[in-house]
Amino acid sequence: MSLFINITLDGVTQGMIFAALALALVLIFRATRVINFAQGAMAMLTTFIASTLLDRGLNYWWAFVAALAIGFVLGALVQMVLIRPLEGKPDLNPVIVTIGLVIVLEGVAGAVYGNSSRGFPAAFSQSGLVVGGTRIAFSHFDVFILVAVLLLMAANLVLFRATTLGLRMRASAFAREVSRLLGVRVGRLLTLGWGLAGLVGALAGLLIAPTSAFGPYFMDLDLIYAFTAAVIGGLESPVGALVGGLVTGLCISYVGGYLGSGLEPLGALVLLMVTLMARPQGIFSRPSARVV
Amino acid sequence: MLEVRELSVTYGAVSALRSVSFRAQEGEITAVLGANGAGKTTLLRAISGLAKPKSGSVHFDGRELLGNSVEDIARRGVAHVPEGRGIIEELTVEDNLHVATLWCTPRGRRQAAIEATFELFPRLSGFRHRHASTLSGGERQMLVLGRALITRPRLLLLDEPSLGLAPLVIAQLMTLLVDQTSGSDMTVVLVEQNARSALSVARRAIVLNLGQVVADDLAPTLAVNTELRRHYLGF
Amino acid sequence: MAPADVARYQVSPETGKPLRPRPWWGRARFPRQPLARHLVLALLGAVVLYFVTSALSPYNNVLVGEIALYLIALAGLSLLTGTTGQISLGQGAFMAVGAYTVALLMTHTHMNFVLELLAAIGAAATLGLLVGISATRLKGPYLAGATLLLALALPPIADKWSTTFGGDQGLTTIVPTAPGGINPEEWLAWIELAGALITLVLLANLLTSRFGRSFRAVRDNEVAASLSGVHVARTKVTAFAVSAGCAGLAGAFLGLSTGVVSTGEFPLTLSIELLAAMVLAGAGSLFGMWWGAILLVYVPQWSTSVSGDFGLGAGTSAYLATIIFGVVLIVVMIAAPSGIQGGLRWLWEHVSKQWSISRDERAAPRHATHFPPSAADHQPNLVHDPLNE
């Protein structure tokens, strides 16, 4: 029973991180109809930069903020330099470009930092809390993860539902040409959306790094779990990303806990396939009749 | 005043507009008529910046519009209501209006502008929190017209507003359009396939055929030109 | 349309294909039947390659063999992406399936070598069929994600059941002994080249068949294809399975070439580099894949030597090749999506037009500058009329 509880708690924590990364994918997909396969690699890079700053003796929170800021700039730059030239081209082109970016960023990180995994500090203690005399798989750091991701989701909700900037971003995501005719500067908003996604991804990287083998490839699996989560959530809905993240996190945690950690990706693959076959638009998206 | 001079637009090897010139005056409706594929939509898209012309000029209030971004042209008071309604289906009716006010109305006065639009189209106010995708064809047309008028545009470009609407609704819309235009400083360019109703509200009209202007005259004169009607206007 | 445009689009009354200026070598010297034509080409290729491999050192023969095996994997990928518009990041995973199949059969049975290769193709194609079936409803990015997950999910399985799959050490493979006098490297290169030529002939034939037309119809417009009676789902699944089968054969050869099959041979970067090479070479073309295969073999070689010249460590040089692939992939996607083969084709058409058409008529730019490039037999799109949009 305690194994089950611990696996579940672990799944929830992981799920929250997947939800954050999935939110980054959703922000971009909604605005530009692109799945940014480089989201994980970009987060890897910002986390490496944070790690370097920490090695230079910078305070943890300053490095944290710096990583988020660099994530924002990186996301915006990628949109302006790599994605904008592809507007109006077939859907596959941006997919391939982001995949190319993955191997460039991972190659650069590998060449600069080496392939061996290094440690990354956590903001708070990672030893489990003691509840009723037993130690559970839920630490202060996990509490921080939970709070951070929930705050992120809330901030996202406020931005999109309660501000005119969010209204503009929604309008330009849904109807680019009409929004331009209404005087909305769509190009800037798309860049902003990629920047925000970069920031959110950077946050996910900082939250994942302490509990994983932090190296050039450490985000590969997390990205694909986040992709699974985003697809389950319908790729367009932040709430869907949260739910999808939790479902994916729990699924992977159970597969890893009961069947062995090597099978986690396979578990995600099965989950993704089942979701796509049962409901290709995901669970939280409105059905779209547009085929042609 | 809108003055289009020798405007040419090509798509690849095909010319959509060939040296089109015409003028549209303030406080008047100028109709652009012609068959499917005559280049009417392309003309509006070129004026609002969505299509990039090969040559020519588009002057509005003495300033060149060509070469500016779509957003900047919109911010000069050009409201283009594209073909097929152009509502943002995923937003609510109120948000559709709200988006349009963002660049032109100060924060404090936006709500009043939205309420004024609902007074103009009382039918819409009952749907204000509904997704725009739930509206009927006529309601959609009211919404896009209201969304264009809320910015108090200097130049209003309407692309086939009567398409797919019942005759009664068309009549209402045309009456409203005349009310809004006459005596105002707004210039209206009305693209229509429904030549009869367009000629009934317009002061001047041009007729396009295969990307070229084949007639440019006062609307009543064109309306009695049987030759022209038979060849190009289909009534 | 201006008169010049009409002249350019003149169409043959019998075949409906655009008339092309008569080439300098005349007409109909070459077999018209696609199968015969492909076989003749393959035989010519085999003769040339026989002399080439005989002249090369054993080390270079190993490289030639690698080019051949990558060519097989790339041809399958090109068929999938270039002709049906699907994208796979799982080509490395299917290669792993082929390699492990051969290695397991070699470890536990004494089957005929050719049968082992066929089993490798069959195993990979079966998995491809399964993935393909679940992927039929998936559009571009979804399929990319699903196959990416596949590439990441399969290798850990081999680690999990390490007694069967050999764990880190992997399984060893044995190349069948060469007939007297031929050195083993050359023999393996021949086997791999033979596999590549046979694969190319079969795929080229598939593309000119009725199936090939369905492939292209599905790529260009799924809705239109299904309205014209093309079974879209079946077509996509077939393409996926064929592509996976090619990867299976390539993986089997890779296992033979390295002598050991272990999970480390099939990282995610392999799948991505295959995709990169395919795009660089020009998706949709089969013969263009030679360029991709040559790049896959020689860029790492070259980057190792460059790193050596600049005194960079061995670790860095491994990344350099990957970085080069990534950068070139991005640049090509943005600047020249039809790849090397598309560029050459454009150049050829440009030059031949300049020669054959009167001077005052400028050669038209290729209409298909975006990805996937239209196949060489694509007709100019006469139906499309922007005026009616």
Side-chain angles (χ1 to χ4, degrees):
Chain A
M1 190 58 204
S2 75
L3 177 68
F4 176 77
I5 291 173
N6 281 337
I7 290 177
T8 308
L9 286 172
D10 191 46
V12 170
T13 321
Q14 284 201 59
M16 292 309 270
I17 299 176
F18 298 156
L21 202 52
L23 177 67
L25 295 179
V26 165
L27 283 174
I28 285 179
F29 185 80
R30 224 165 49 157
T32 48
R33 298 284 130 182
V34 173
I35 299 209
N36 181 13
F37 285 105
Q39 198 76 63
M42 287 158 65
M44 176 274 299
L45 195 70
T46 54
T47 313
F48 263 107
I49 292 171
S51 168
T52 310
L53 293 175
L54 288 172
D55 288 348
R56 296 269 165 86
L58 200 72
N59 173 291
Y60 177 88
W61 293 108
W62 282 118
F64 191 93
V65 171
L68 297 189
I70 294 167
F72 181 89
V73 173
L74 187 62
L77 270 179
V78 167
Q79 195 272 343
M80 286 194 284
V81 178
L82 302 182
I83 303 300
R84 196 173 284 177
L86 295 174
E87 271 176 24
K89 300 272 178 68
D91 288 351
L92 277 187
N93 297 27
V95 171
I96 293 174
V97 164
T98 60
I99 288 166
L101 189 59
V102 172
I103 57 175
V104 171
L105 293 179
E106 289 182 349
V108 168
V112 175
Y113 298 100
N115 191 12
S116 56
S117 58
R118 27 159 79 198
F120 191 85
F124 298 95
S125 156
Q126 281 180 277
S127 57
L129 301 170
V130 178
V131 176
T134 47
R135 192 171 284 275
I136 58 168
F138 202 72
S139 63
H140 285 99
F141 184 59
D142 292 333
V143 175
F144 172 64
I145 290 177
L146 215 65
V147 171
V149 176
L150 287 176
L151 277 178
L152 173 72
M153 292 288 170
N156 178 70
L157 202 68
V158 169
L159 171 67
F160 279 98
R161 291 287 153 191
T163 69
T164 54
L165 179 64
L167 178 61
R168 266 177 229 174
M169 289 180 81
R170 276 191 295 150
S172 49
F174 292 134
R176 195 179 293 195
E177 195 166 271
V178 171
S179 301
R180 297 185 72 195
L181 290 174
L182 298 176
V184 177
R185 297 200 190 279
V186 171
R188 288 181 199 174
L189 292 173
L190 298 184
T191 307
L192 179 66
W194 275 73
L196 285 179
L199 187 154
V200 172
L203 174 68
L206 294 168
L207 296 180
I208 295 168
T211 52
S212 58
F214 172 46
Y217 306 108
F218 90 108
M219 292 294 285
D220 279 357
L221 277 173
D222 295 303
L223 172 85
I224 209 69
Y225 294 150
F227 171 74
T228 309
V231 169
I232 292 175
L235 271 173
E236 301 221 25
S237 140
V239 180
L242 183 61
V243 176
L246 285 174
V247 169
T248 312
L250 285 171
C251 168
I252 283 169
S253 198
Y254 291 136
V255 170
Y258 289 111
L259 304 176
S261 62
L263 294 183
E264 285 177 0
L266 195 66
L269 182 64
V270 171
L271 181 65
L272 180 67
M273 287 298 180
V274 168
T275 310
L276 285 172
M277 283 199 275
R279 218 181 131 78
Q281 326 82 8
I283 294 162
F284 282 84
S285 73
R286 277 184 299 279
S288 146
R290 214 174 301 150
V291 198
V292 191
Chain B
M1 186 181 73
L2 173 74
E3 185 168 14
V4 173
R5 251 184 260 150
E6 309 202 336
L7 193 68
S8 294
V9 179
T10 55
Y11 292 116
V14 184
S15 354
L17 288 183
R18 291 185 206 181
S19 198
V20 167
S21 303
F22 77 98
R23 289 177 180 192
Q25 303 287 350
E26 260 178 33
E28 290 180 10
I29 299 175
T30 305
V32 178
L33 309 173
N36 232 340
K40 307 186 297 289
T41 296
T42 304
L43 179 59
L44 291 197
R45 290 176 67 85
I47 296 171
S48 66
L50 287 172
K52 297 276 166 266
K54 201 174 70 174
S55 57
S57 71
V58 177
H59 277 265
F60 182 63
D61 285 350
R63 288 163 78 194
E64 179 63 56
L65 289 185
L66 285 192
N68 291 299
S69 71
V70 178
E71 294 92 329
D72 284 330
I73 292 175
R75 285 167 185 239
R76 289 206 191 158
V78 178
H80 179 175
V81 178
E83 199 179 352
R85 309 290 185 263
I87 61 169
I88 305 176
E89 297 195 338
E90 292 87 348
L91 298 184
T92 61
V93 170
E94 188 167 331
D95 280 346
N96 262 284
L97 297 174
H98 194 176
V99 168
T101 62
L102 291 178
W103 67 268
C104 58
T105 317
R107 189 175 285 270
R109 270 186 259 146
R110 285 177 196 156
Q111 200 54 43
I114 292 172
E115 294 310 326
T117 306
F118 282 138
E119 272 168 37
L120 200 59
F121 300 100
R123 195 183 164 89
L124 288 179
S125 74
F127 303 139
R128 61 171 69 198
H129 297 302
R130 291 240 300 256
H131 273 123
S133 58
T134 59
L135 298 184
S136 73
E139 289 154 3
R140 284 167 186 236
Q141 196 59 57
M142 290 175 195
L143 177 56
V144 287
L145 201 54
R147 197 181 60 188
L149 293 173
I150 203 171
T151 63
R152 307 198 162 280
R154 302 271 295 107
L155 173 61
L156 178 62
L157 308 171
L158 290 172
D159 199 348
E160 305 265 10
S162 74
L163 197 71
L165 296 185
L168 196 67
V169 184
I170 297 178
Q172 284 173 354
L173 279 174
M174 292 298 169
T175 315
L176 186 114
L177 196 58
V178 172
D179 289 349
Q180 292 292 319
T181 313
S182 55
S184 76
D185 62 350
M186 182 166 72
T187 309
V188 178
V189 178
L190 172 67
V191 158
E192 266 298 339
Q193 260 200 88
N194 185 345
R196 200 193 296 261
S197 72
L199 286 176
S200 68
V201 294
R203 182 172 145 72
R204 287 191 76 87
I206 63 168
V207 179
L208 288 180
N209 185 48
L210 297 177
Q212 283 175 307
V213 179
V214 291
D216 181 350
D217 214 328
L218 292 172
T221 318
L222 291 176
V224 296
N225 184 337
T226 43
E227 187 84 347
L228 191 79
R229 274 167 46 175
R230 203 175 61 233
H231 273 107
Y232 300 116
L233 304 179
F235 73 96
Chain C
M1 268 189 192
D5 301 326
V6 178
R8 195 174 303 133
Y9 288 145
Q10 262 179 9
V11 166
S12 153
E14 300 108 66
T15 60
K17 290 199 169 184
L19 285 176
R20 302 182 68 182
R22 169 178 285 223
W24 53 269
W25 61 80
R27 283 197 73 83
R29 295 272 177 81
F30 228 55
R32 280 229 180 123
Q33 186 69 41
L35 179 63
R37 194 171 63 217
H38 298 145
L39 277 176
V40 168
L41 278 175
L43 278 176
L44 282 175
V47 171
V48 170
L49 289 168
Y50 170 78
F51 286 112
V52 169
T53 48
S54 306
L56 289 176
S57 66
Y59 174 71
N60 280 321
N61 267 324
V62 171
L63 295 187
V64 167
E66 283 187 11
I67 291 176
L69 76 89
Y70 283 128
L71 175 63
I72 300 172
L74 289 174
L77 204 55
S78 175
L79 176 109
L80 180 73
T81 306
T83 61
T84 64
Q86 291 176 294
I87 187 175
S88 171
L89 289 170
Q91 203 69 345
F94 293 119
M95 282 178 74
V97 171
Y100 272 101
T101 307
V102 163
L104 283 172
L105 288 174
M106 283 181 169
T107 315
H108 298 292
T109 68
H110 299 281
M111 265 164 88
N112 178 296
F113 176 62
V114 175
L115 284 182
E116 286 173 342
L117 291 183
L118 289 177
I121 298 172
T126 310
L127 183 66
L129 197 69
L130 289 178
V131 176
I133 287 172
S134 46
T136 46
R137 294 166 72 179
L138 310 189
K139 293 229 161 194
Y142 291 96
L143 189 62
T147 50
L148 181 63
L149 189 41
L150 183 76
L152 287 169
L154 281 192
I157 294 175
D159 288 333
K160 163 94 178 160
W161 285 285
S162 56
T163 44
T164 314
F165 294 106
D168 285 343
Q169 272 84 47
L171 300 167
T172 48
T173 56
I174 316 108
V175 183
T177 40
I182 304 170
N183 74 49
E185 287 82 7
E186 202 176 324
W187 177 236
L188 181 61
W190 284 358
I191 294 175
E192 289 167 333
L193 285 168
L197 288 175
I198 294 172
T199 309
L200 281 185
V201 168
L202 291 177
L203 291 185
N205 241 40
L206 184 69
L207 281 179
T208 48
S209 71
R210 196 172 56 85
F211 241 125
R213 285 196 296 278
S214 332
F215 284 164
R216 286 189 290 274
V218 167
R219 177 202 65 192
D220 289 344
N221 189 335
E222 275 185 28
V223 178
S226 72
L227 290 177
S228 337
V230 174
H231 199 304
V232 172
R234 199 182 297 155
T235 307
K236 283 178 144 185
V237 172
T238 310
F240 207 89
V242 169
S243 156
C246 291
L249 183 62
F253 284 154
L254 185 63
L256 290 174
S257 172
T258 51
V260 181
V261 176
S262 65
T263 51
E265 301 279 324
F266 306 98
L268 178 63
T269 40
L270 172 65
S271 293
I272 299 186
E273 285 178 4
L274 281 168
L275 179 77
M278 186 269 291
V279 170
L280 297 192
S285 140
L286 288 181
F287 289 96
M289 291 304 126
W290 283 104
W291 303 115
I294 289 169
L295 288 176
L296 276 177
V297 172
Y298 278 100
V299 168
Q301 302 269 326
W302 175 79
S303 67
T304 307
S305 80
V306 168
S307 313
D309 294 347
F310 286 93
L312 304 170
T316 314
S317 77
Y319 292 112
L320 190 58
T322 312
I323 296 171
I324 291 170
F325 271 112
V327 169
V328 178
L329 179 65
I330 293 171
V331 171
V332 164
M333 241 21 253
I334 292 175
S338 53
I340 296 175
Q341 189 70 10
L344 288 178
R345 196 187 294 144
W346 179 83
L347 205 66
W348 166 246
E349 290 183 359
H350 202 78
V351 170
S352 60
K353 267 207 183 97
Q354 290 289 353
W355 279 90
S356 57
I357 297 178
S358 59
R359 292 270 165 179
D360 57 319
E361 203 185 309
R362 281 186 300 111
R366 289 272 302 159
H367 59 281
T369 43
H370 55 233
F371 180 88
S374 56
D377 58 349
H378 238 204
Q379 297 174 20
N381 202 341
L382 296 167
V383 187
H384 177 73
D385 180 7
L387 282 176
N388 274 330
E389 277 174 359

